[in-house]
């Protein structure tokens, strides 16, 4: 079912994700080339993802090639598999992800309606037993309910749970709209994020925010200022990190390349990353088929079936000096036709991408 069949799909996504979180118990190319990974490490996951067949190499052609995707850095946002988790439980889902060649998982709640109760210790052990590294988690930003499982209402509990799971990153998929869409409203939200970032850092974790497309819109009291730029400027780069959802960033490019008065305001999502690569430890790899007749510009697809050039995007980031292994790439689809098929095909596609080295 297309995500765009609802009247306000982006709002629907945020609300549905918040509902699930509430259940939780607890193009520019880079000029410098990073160090090449050993061939056997780079192809191990790809072999699993493609059923034992390694991707095509450059043998028989001039030059050498390596996988675009760094070894050990392919994850999946478990929101994409919420239907399978709720019916099968985490264990069988993790077993499938292991077979498909995934290395990491990002949580969106620690129950997701899973079949039967599960503790954080059991969840951590299940992931470890299937060779999956729990890399991050999405938690709500704020709520009117003082007991809500959010950063604003229960910061200590949120960080306790993340620490129990051994997470290196803990973040939110909520936009910084708590106080509105003015410049000062986003400055206030940035202060909140700096507070959460400092608390996370004190425990050895990184706090991050995951974007949708609305973050790239303009301040209501100053339409010359892009909201996302306020977030970057007003948050401390040592405390607040970003998880770019690449699909939603390109939707934002489609929607907000003109200011409200119609004057051009183009931007390239990749350039945000290349200017400040240390701020983006995590990415959501989600694909879309271009559709200018759609108000969002794209229709979401399985990774590899759309028009977002992931060979170009991932290569540009990982070729920055010192950044080959510095980022984590999480496949995601908000409403896949079949979530296991999405996971398998997305992994196979990303492992098949190769670049000259």
């Amino acid at each position: 079912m297309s995500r765009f069949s609802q009247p306000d799909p982006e709002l629907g996504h945020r609300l549905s994700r918040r509902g699930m979180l509430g259940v939780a118990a607890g193009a520019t190319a880079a000029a410098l080339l990073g160090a090449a990974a050993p061939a056997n490490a780079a192809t191990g996951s790809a072999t699993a993802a493609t059923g034992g067949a390694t991707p095509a190499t450059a043998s028989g052609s001039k030059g050498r090639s390596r996988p675009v995707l760094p070894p050990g850095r392919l994850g999946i946002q478990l929101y994409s598999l919420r239907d399978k988790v709720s019916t099968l439980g985490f264990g069988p889902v993790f077993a499938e992800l292991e077979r498909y060649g995934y290395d990491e998982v990002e949580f969106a709640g620690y129950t997701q309606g899973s079949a039967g109760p599960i503790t954080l210790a059991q969840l951590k052990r299940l992931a470890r037993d299937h060779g999956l590294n729990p890399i991050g988690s999405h938690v709500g930003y704020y709520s009117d309910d003082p007991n809500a499982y959010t950063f604003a209402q229960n910061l200590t509990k949120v960080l306790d749970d993340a620490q129990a799971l051994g997470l290196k990153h803990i973040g939110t998929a909520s936009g910084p709209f708590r106080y509105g869409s003015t410049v000062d409203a986003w400055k206030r939200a940035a202060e909140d994020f700096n507070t959460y970032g400092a608390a996370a850092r004190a425990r050895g974790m990184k706090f991050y925010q995951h974007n949708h497309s609305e973050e790239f819109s303009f301040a209501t009291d100053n339409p010359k200022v892009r909201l996302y730029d306020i977030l970057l400027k007003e948050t401390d780069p040592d405390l607040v990190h970003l998880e770019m959802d690449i699909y939603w960033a390109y939707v934002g490019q489609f929607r907000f390349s003109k200011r409200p008065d119609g004057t051009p305001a183009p931007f390239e999502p990749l350039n945000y990353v290349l200017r400040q690569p240390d701020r983006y430890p995590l990415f959501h790899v989600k694909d879309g088929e271009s559709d200018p007749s759609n108000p969002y510009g794209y229709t979401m697809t399985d990774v590899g079936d759309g028009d977002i050039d992931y060979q170009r995007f991932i290569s540009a980031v990982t070729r920055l000096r010192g950044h080959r292994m510095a980022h984590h790439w999480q496949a995601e689809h908000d409403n896949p036709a079949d979530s296991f098929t999405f996971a398998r095909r997305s992994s196979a596609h990303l492992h098949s991408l190769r670049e000259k080295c």
Side-chain angles (χ1 to χ4, degrees):
M1 182 180 196
S2 170
R3 146 181 199 83
F4 299 110
S5 61
Q6 23 185 343
D8 188 348
E10 188 166 351
L11 178 60
H13 170 78
R14 288 200 294 266
L15 291 176
S16 65
R17 181 169 291 208
R18 286 176 188 166
M20 180 181 60
L21 290 169
V23 176
T28 302
L32 300 175
L33 176 66
N40 59 344
T43 58
S45 292
T47 302
T50 54
T54 56
T57 65
S59 60
S61 61
K62 294 182 179 179
R64 298 168 55 204
S65 72
R66 66 175 179 181
V68 167
L69 192 71
R73 287 296 184 267
L74 178 61
I76 191 165
Q77 167 51 253
L78 291 170
Y79 180 76
S80 305
L81 295 153
R82 61 196 181 278
D83 62 323
K84 297 296 193 291
V85 172
S86 67
T87 55
L88 303 175
F90 281 103
V93 170
F94 287 171
E96 286 299 297
L97 295 177
E98 181 182 20
R99 286 202 320 115
Y100 301 158
Y102 283 94
D103 310 296
E104 300 175 333
V105 289
E106 182 185 33
F107 292 102
Y110 309 131
T111 61
Q112 292 188 219
S114 64
I118 188 168
T119 67
L120 295 178
Q122 290 171 329
L123 191 54
K124 180 180 180 181
R125 185 165 58 250
L126 267 179
R128 181 196 63 201
D129 290 348
H130 290 288
L132 298 169
N133 178 32
I135 194 62
S137 181
H138 285 186
V139 176
Y141 170 16
Y142 67 95
S143 171
D144 294 332
D145 177 0
N147 298 313
Y149 190 81
T150 64
F151 282 96
Q153 277 66 44
N154 275 293
L155 177 61
T156 299
K157 174 61 174 171
V158 167
L159 297 181
D160 285 347
D161 289 349
Q163 201 163 22
L165 281 166
L167 301 182
K168 297 298 184 184
H169 309 83
I170 181 69
T172 184
S174 302
F177 293 95
R178 180 181 186 181
Y179 308 107
S181 299
T182 65
V183 172
D184 284 343
W186 273 54
K187 287 182 177 180
R188 287 183 65 191
E191 291 177 4
D192 287 349
F193 284 9
N194 284 332
T195 298
Y196 310 151
R201 185 180 182 182
R203 300 198 190 203
M205 292 179 282
K206 292 180 179 179
F207 170 80
Y208 64 95
Q209 193 267 342
H210 162 287
N211 65 275
H212 293 86
S213 69
E214 290 291 343
E215 283 88 334
F216 297 96
S217 63
F218 300 92
T220 52
D221 60 336
N222 188 345
K224 292 184 179 180
V225 177
R226 195 180 300 280
L227 291 173
Y228 196 70
D229 295 337
I230 301 172
L231 180 66
L232 285 168
K233 181 179 179 182
E234 298 295 330
T235 51
D236 185 332
D238 292 328
L239 301 178
V240 177
H241 299 82
L242 291 309
E243 175 180 62
M244 180 175 280
D245 186 304
I246 299 167
Y247 169 87
W248 284 119
Y250 279 104
V251 171
Q253 181 191 60
F254 177 85
R255 297 181 66 194
F256 302 113
S257 283
K258 291 184 179 179
R259 297 184 180 88
D261 65 0
T263 57
F267 72 94
E268 167 55 53
L270 177 58
N271 288 346
Y272 275 107
V273 182
L274 297 183
R275 284 193 294 264
Q276 299 187 63
D278 290 330
R279 297 207 72 176
Y280 293 89
L282 304 170
F283 293 91
H284 273 189
V285 180
K286 148 187 323 179
D287 213 343
E289 186 177 358
S290 179
D291 180 5
S293 67
N294 187 310
Y296 285 76
Y298 294 86
T299 300
M300 200 175 292
T301 66
D302 291 353
V303 180
D305 289 347
D307 297 311
I308 297 177
D309 188 346
Y310 276 110
Q311 174 135 354
R312 166 182 168 268
F313 196 105
I314 298 174
S315 291
V317 176
T318 58
R319 282 178 175 269
L320 292 169
R321 184 177 295 278
H323 281 270
R324 172 101 176 124
M325 300 296 295
H327 308 273
H328 305 265
W329 306 88
Q330 316 293 312
E332 188 185 32
H333 191 312
D334 292 352
N335 291 296
D338 180 83
S339 55
F340 277 156
T341 299
F342 153 74
R344 176 179 53 78
R345 296 182 69 245
S346 298
S347 174
H349 173 73
L350 289 167
H351 278 114
S352 74
L353 299 178
R354 301 191 70 82
E355 64 183 354
K356 291 182 179 180
C357 62

